[in-house]
Amino acid sequence: MTDVATGMPSNAFVDALARARVMAIIRGTDPDAAVATSLALFDEGVRFVEISLTTPKACDAIEQVRAQLPEGAHIGAGTVLTEADVTDVEAAGAQFVVTPAVTPSIAVAAERGLPVAAGALTPTEAWTAVQEGASAVKLFPASVGGPGYLKAVRDPFPHIPFLAVGGVGLEELDGYLAVGAIGVGVGSPLVGDAASGADLDALRQRARAYVTAAERHTR
């Protein structure tokens, strides 16, 4: 399964995410601020950024970021729910897609060669997402059960790459990685209100802190 937009196979996506450890999640109110936020995160060493389709003109923002993408960085689309969403984000240049649940977009994206981090909470959902073609499972919201729950879900599925998302602050990062998560997806604890026009200097400080923490677990 090869990503048409990037030539990145599904396993290469998982390997790169497992090295980077952190995916930033951008949900904002200003597309220009979303672009600036993405580029600032890349400047500070974050390698994976997801722009949610709940952000106004998200596809325009993705397209702009893709045109300025640093080497080794990856831009994706989040809250990708439908076949139409997949078509839109693929045209914008998204290199991967993320879903909040087991959605029709998983199979569509997988068929088109776009790696998918699919949202799931239960063991049944995790298994179903992989059968639909997901490259990784986004345990969401991870804060419901914490690292202990992730370990319990992962134990019968050691071959499934899990990304912990939802309520993962800097203090929680170590706990999720210690029980086998390949990485964490972080929204407001990292991005704050930067994608709605807030201070990028504060964002940069938070990004450096997450990158430093992730480097302790680099594979």
Side-chain angles (χ1 to χ4, degrees):
M1 186 163 59
T2 301
D3 180 339
V4 173
T6 66
M8 175 182 284
S10 176
N11 60 347
F13 165 75
V14 171
D15 288 347
L17 186 53
R19 289 192 299 271
R21 296 296 200 178
V22 174
M23 180 187 291
I25 301 168
I26 292 180
R27 300 186 190 93
T29 59
D30 181 337
D32 291 334
V35 172
T37 298
S38 300
L39 297 177
L41 287 164
F42 290 140
D43 283 347
E44 300 304 333
V46 175
R47 298 293 84 186
F48 282 82
V49 170
E50 160 206 339
I51 297 179
S52 170
L53 293 187
T54 58
T55 302
K57 298 183 179 179
C59 286
D60 290 344
I62 291 167
E63 186 173 7
Q64 290 182 53
V65 174
R66 181 66 193 272
Q68 304 174 69
L69 199 65
E71 184 177 355
H74 308 275
I75 182 67
T79 323
V80 178
L81 305 177
T82 66
E83 180 176 357
D85 289 341
V86 175
T87 298
D88 290 344
V89 303
E90 184 180 34
Q95 297 169 298
F96 61 92
V97 302
V98 183
T99 77
V102 180
T103 61
S105 57
I106 298 170
V108 175
E111 288 170 3
R112 297 185 186 181
L114 280 169
V116 184
L121 181 61
T122 68
T124 298
E125 291 171 349
W127 176 251
T128 302
V130 171
Q131 298 311 300
E132 290 291 308
S135 302
V137 169
K138 164 185 143 179
L139 189 74
F140 176 77
S143 58
V144 168
Y149 179 71
L150 172 58
K151 181 181 184 303
V153 174
R154 184 175 176 271
D155 279 349
F157 303 123
H159 61 290
I160 296 180
F162 280 94
L163 184 73
V165 180
V168 183
L170 188 60
E171 297 76 14
E172 288 77 40
L173 183 147
D174 287 339
Y176 286 108
L177 298 183
V179 296
I182 64 167
V184 298
V186 191
S188 57
L190 168 56
V191 178
D193 294 325
S196 297
D199 182 16
L200 289 181
D201 289 337
L203 169 78
R204 290 178 180 276
Q205 292 179 15
R206 293 191 297 270
R208 287 194 291 270
Y210 269 92
V211 169
T212 298
E215 285 174 348
R216 296 197 296 267
H217 299 271
T218 300
R219 294 182 179 180

